[in-house]
Amino acid sequence: MPFANYKLPEAALSTAQKEELIHKTTDLLVSFFGEIVRPNTMVLVEEIKDGGYGRADEVFTIPPEYRAGD
């Protein structure tokens, strides 16, 4: 069973964008492994709260203008 796990900032994508990401990721994995894996392909989109991630000692938050609206 192919498995993809995306970790994204909370509210970075709308519900429709997350659905599209799941569909496109499934199609990508099917292109490698064949249609046989489609029913068992798992795509997990995890949303990380602001301040819950960072790089090189910098804690990230998403500016309001970059938040997706549902």
Side-chain angles (χ1 to χ4, degrees), residues 2 26-41:
T26 301
D27 287 342
L28 174 69
L29 293 170
V30 166
S31 76
F32 280 97
F33 300 109
E35 281 294 329
I36 191 94
V37 302
R38 186 178 295 277
N40 299 309
T41 297

Side-chain angles (χ1 to χ4, degrees), residues 43-57:
V43 181
L44 177 62
V45 179
E46 292 184 85
E47 293 186 294
I48 309 301
K49 289 188 176 279
D50 267 352
Y53 52 97
R55 181 190 64 193
D57 284 338

Side-chain angles (χ1 to χ4, degrees), residues 47-69:
E47 293 186 294
I48 309 301
K49 289 188 176 279
D50 267 352
Y53 52 97
R55 181 190 64 193
D57 284 338
E58 181 182 355
V59 176
F60 292 121
T61 58
I62 296 251
E65 62 268 19
Y66 291 106
R67 293 185 184 279

Side-chain angles (χ1 to χ4, degrees), residues 3-8 21 25 29 42-47:
F3 182 86
N5 185 352
Y6 293 98
K7 295 180 189 296
L8 305 171
L21 179 62
T25 300
L29 293 170
M42 171 69 83
V43 181
L44 177 62
V45 179
E46 292 184 85
E47 293 186 294

